[in-house]
Amino acid sequence: MIPTTLRRSLANWGVRTMLALGALSSMSVAQAAIGDAVNAHLNAGEFGQATDLALTANSPEERTALLQQIAAAQAATGEFQPSRVTLSRINDRAARQAARRAAAGATHAGGGLQPDFRTLELIIMENTSATNWDEIDGGDGAITPFPTGVRVDGHGLLERQTQVTSTALKALRENVRTPAVNQELQQSSGLRLVSLKRLEQAVAQRLEDGLPVPESMSRFAGLTSIEYVFVYPEDKDIVVGGPAEGWSVDAAGRAIGTSSQQPVLSLDDFVTVLRAYSQGTADFGCSINTREAGVKALMEYAETSQQKGPLAPAAVKSWVNQLQKKLGRQDIVVWGIPADSHAARTLVEADYRMKLVGVDQLDLAKEVPSYFDLLPPSLQKSGSMDALRWWLTLDCQSISHSPDRDTFQLAGTAVKCQSENQLLTADGKHLPTGLSEATNRQFAENFTTNYDTLAANDLVFGEAKNIFELAMAAAIITHEKLDQKVSWDYGVFAAGESYDPAHLPVPTEVDSVVNHRVYNGKNIVVQVAGGVRANAAQMVQDKDRQQVAPKLETVSQTAARPQLPEGRWWWDAAR
């Protein structure tokens, strides 16, 4: 049975279509401008006829503008692949690339795959009592899809979402899709190799033909980690390799390895970090920063509250709400990579969730108790307000390389949580101390040691680790000038070229992470600063982490590219 609102929408579409057809039937193309005729076809949903007309325009500029208009109309109805095909019919290469970049920015579709949230949105509207959805009754209620448990509103506010409880929504969220890719890619491999140049050329050809980038490419052939980076000067190729497995795509659009249950690597993320390092970026990351006025207001309020003595149990909730209100929002800062990239969003969310774990607002693993749970009795009795800093960094134990520096192996690549206690001044400033007291250090050490457990329970931490590993590979390529060894200018992966990673709404602020615990009638307030820093360039340049490993020459021979069919860019090798 078709819902009333859907029947109404279909009926309205039918009216619009008939009116448009009537207008077209009374119009002579010879008597009207081509642009008007194209508009009439678009109003009727006749994209093929509109395209044929557009191609008859005498002016190249007019043809380009009309084809862009048609492609935009196709994308607006969800026909993204036909939209790309339409753009491919723009003859001038520079104009075609510019049109593709403009279309990617307008639709946020980019070069990467985007999840389809339409079914989820319809279920939400049909299973809630709200009656002011903008799609139904012209109200101001709207749904903004965001795949990883938080959302960004129209003003850039990052918000944590409540857990879905509806049976229908749970079923949808847990639903996974097996991608339609070569079945060989769905097999696990101890060492899968990806030719970066061949992959780039295959992507470039897809874009040139106006076709979408397939999942096999956007998911990096199912690689779950990068262990090796090879350069083959004689073949003019750069190859990365590591374990790989088949994957399924969940309702949030993540590609999850069938064995590891962790996200596989992303081409969007690789292109993002490769562009950053190739343009001289020293590092990239994010921070969530308190505002001085908010810190000052929080300090004054907490001090006044302490002077009044213990809180009545009924007043605690109100008091905590006031703490949150006094501190207000914090500013999100991203550097080194585009703020609207998937990589940036992932790092921001990982930072935010780390803070929630630390102040006992998110329980992800019993092995990682909150700061409050770690406090020794001596500090529980004091009553205080602590300003802590926790931040995530890349940690790579060693980088082995062959004597000729044509093979590199990454060992122990991991995410490390670091800590610091900060001083708060009367005017609300955070002052670094360079020191971390025992409880603060213990939380950071627990977080680092049990990072894989956290990643198993919250996939954003797995995605953050993937970004760090891709950053290490990109840093090796740029620092060792491997691109110059093979005369590769990165092609469509270069900055400003036609591969356009997905664009996401940019978070600019977030409600502060603050919490308290009452011990022996005294309140201990904790608020946190921090961030994420991907310091791969520093790791690669650190000579203390480098070591020569002659045995890697054998690995390089084993991994060398075999004879491959035309267009093949990946292969498996025995360990």
Side-chain angles (χ1 to χ4, degrees):
M1 180 175 177
I2 302 175
T4 303
T5 53
L6 185 55
R7 289 201 305 270
R8 185 191 313 158
S9 297
L10 291 173
N12 289 341
W13 171 245
V15 170
R16 286 196 300 271
T17 301
M18 287 186 290
L19 289 176
L21 288 172
L24 184 60
S25 64
S26 62
M27 176 187 299
S28 170
V29 174
Q31 298 172 347
I34 290 179
D36 292 337
V38 167
N39 284 330
H41 281 300
L42 292 181
N43 288 334
E46 298 169 347
F47 299 125
Q49 293 93 323
T51 302
D52 291 341
L53 262 180
L55 292 173
T56 66
N58 293 325
S59 164
E61 293 78 14
E62 185 179 4
R63 283 198 302 274
T64 296
L66 290 173
L67 290 172
Q68 281 187 272
Q69 180 184 353
I70 296 165
Q74 290 171 309
T77 63
E79 298 184 12
F80 296 111
Q81 181 167 327
S83 172
R84 294 186 179 97
V85 173
T86 299
L87 291 178
S88 73
R89 305 187 75 170
I90 298 175
N91 290 330
D92 182 75
R93 186 172 184 270
R96 183 169 60 251
Q97 290 181 345
R100 284 173 176 157
R101 287 193 291 270
T107 63
H108 300 298
L113 294 174
Q114 296 295 298
D116 179 8
F117 289 93
R118 189 56 187 159
T119 306
L120 176 59
E121 292 173 2
L122 290 173
I123 290 177
I124 291 173
M125 287 189 284
E126 291 174 1
N127 288 275
T128 59
S129 58
T131 58
N132 64 336
W133 296 112
D134 57 1
E135 292 191 28
I136 298 175
D137 297 310
D140 57 5
I143 297 178
T144 302
F146 180 64
T148 51
V150 298
R151 70 179 287 272
V152 179
D153 71 8
H155 303 289
L157 174 64
L158 184 74
E159 294 178 325
R160 188 179 173 193
Q161 297 297 284
T162 56
Q163 186 174 1
V164 178
T165 55
S166 162
T167 302
L169 295 184
K170 277 187 176 180
L172 180 63
R173 184 180 62 183
E174 294 168 0
N175 183 44
V176 295
R177 173 176 60 83
T178 301
V181 298
N182 188 313
Q183 286 304 306
E184 291 179 81
L185 282 176
Q186 290 294 341
Q187 304 301 313
S188 295
S189 172
L191 180 59
R192 181 161 295 164
L193 292 311
V194 172
S195 162
L196 294 182
K197 282 192 68 176
R198 283 199 162 207
L199 173 58
E200 180 270 319
Q201 290 165 358
V203 170
Q205 188 61 57
R206 299 286 296 191
L207 297 178
E208 183 70 19
D209 294 341
L211 299 173
V213 176
E215 288 199 41
S216 58
M217 299 178 188
S218 67
R219 311 300 189 183
F220 242 96
L223 283 180
T224 58
S225 179
I226 291 184
E227 185 177 349
Y228 297 101
V229 178
F230 306 96
V231 59
Y232 296 97
E234 65 281 5
D235 293 331
K236 299 293 184 183
D237 203 1
I238 299 173
V239 175
V240 295
E245 58 191 76
W247 68 91
S248 297
V249 181
D250 66 13
R254 285 193 180 102
I256 309 301
T258 53
S259 300
S260 66
Q261 292 299 298
Q262 282 294 294
V264 301
L265 300 185
S266 160
L267 179 60
D268 271 13
D269 291 341
F270 176 69
V271 172
T272 297
V273 298
L274 180 66
R275 288 173 176 175
Y277 285 122
S278 67
Q279 293 177 296
T281 297
D283 60 25
F284 62 87
C286 70
S287 63
I288 301 178
N289 305 324
T290 56
R291 298 169 181 173
E292 293 178 3
V295 175
K296 181 179 179 181
L298 174 68
M299 292 177 62
E300 292 173 348
Y301 181 74
E303 183 178 352
T304 301
S305 301
Q306 294 281 15
Q307 293 172 356
K308 294 180 180 179
L311 289 171
V316 171
K317 182 176 181 180
S318 175
W319 186 76
V320 173
N321 289 339
Q322 282 298 313
L323 287 176
Q324 196 84 19
K325 183 177 179 180
K326 293 292 183 182
L327 188 54
R329 292 177 180 169
Q330 295 179 254
D331 296 315
I332 298 173
V333 177
V334 174
W335 71 88
I337 55 177
D340 65 351
S341 64
H342 173 265
R345 175 69 68 81
T346 299
L347 299 186
V348 169
E349 189 180 347
D351 181 28
Y352 184 56
R353 293 189 177 213
M354 171 184 62
K355 294 175 172 63
L356 294 176
V357 171
V359 299
D360 202 24
Q361 289 191 5
L362 181 62
D363 183 10
L364 290 179
K366 68 180 187 311
E367 299 88 350
V368 188
S370 72
Y371 176 83
F372 293 116
D373 294 324
L374 294 171
L375 276 175
S378 59
L379 291 179
Q380 293 178 11
K381 297 176 182 178
S382 64
S384 64
M385 185 174 74
D386 293 323
L388 309 177
R389 183 180 176 224
W390 300 319
W391 70 103
L392 299 177
T393 60
L394 168 63
D395 186 30
C396 183
Q397 295 177 4
S398 67
I399 304 172
S400 301
H401 61 82
S402 60
D404 58 5
R405 304 185 79 89
D406 280 354
T407 302
F408 299 83
Q409 182 180 21
L410 306 178
T413 302
V415 180
K416 182 177 182 179
C417 181
Q418 301 196 55
S419 64
E420 180 187 49
N421 284 69
Q422 296 188 326
L423 297 177
L424 296 177
T425 65
D427 56 358
K429 289 184 172 64
H430 282 253
L431 295 182
T433 66
L435 302 174
S436 179
E437 47 88 9
T439 305
N440 203 12
R441 288 199 308 274
Q442 186 62 57
F443 171 77
E445 291 170 5
N446 289 345
F447 203 97
T448 300
T449 303
N450 297 284
Y451 191 88
D452 288 344
T453 301
L454 292 165
N457 295 328
D458 193 327
L459 294 177
V460 71
F461 292 117
E463 289 187 306
K465 183 178 179 180
N466 284 356
I467 292 168
F468 279 5
E469 291 198 352
L470 291 168
M472 283 296 298
I476 288 173
I477 291 170
T478 54
H479 179 261
E480 296 290 330
K481 297 181 173 55
L482 303 188
D483 53 326
Q484 297 181 22
K485 284 189 175 183
V486 300
S487 303
W488 185 38
D489 64 359
Y490 303 128
V492 296
F493 294 167
E497 285 299 324
S498 57
Y499 183 85
D500 196 13
H503 299 272
L504 301 174
V506 178
T508 58
E509 57 182 7
V510 65
D511 286 327
S512 296
V513 174
V514 60
N515 206 354
H516 90 296
R517 185 76 64 85
V518 178
Y519 299 101
N520 299 322
K522 295 184 177 181
N523 301 302
I524 293 180
V525 181
V526 171
Q527 58 101 2
V528 183
V532 180
R533 180 179 177 227
N535 50 332
Q538 177 185 343
M539 294 284 171
V540 171
Q541 296 170 20
D542 185 356
K543 294 183 178 180
D544 292 336
R545 297 177 190 271
Q546 298 183 16
Q547 57 185 19
V548 179
K551 66 178 182 179
L552 288 179
E553 292 181 337
T554 302
V555 179
S556 177
Q557 295 170 5
T558 301
R561 188 178 74 210
Q563 291 294 324
L564 296 175
E566 184 69 24
R568 183 72 172 257
W569 47 271
W570 68 271
W571 62 97
D572 290 330
R575 283 273 185 179

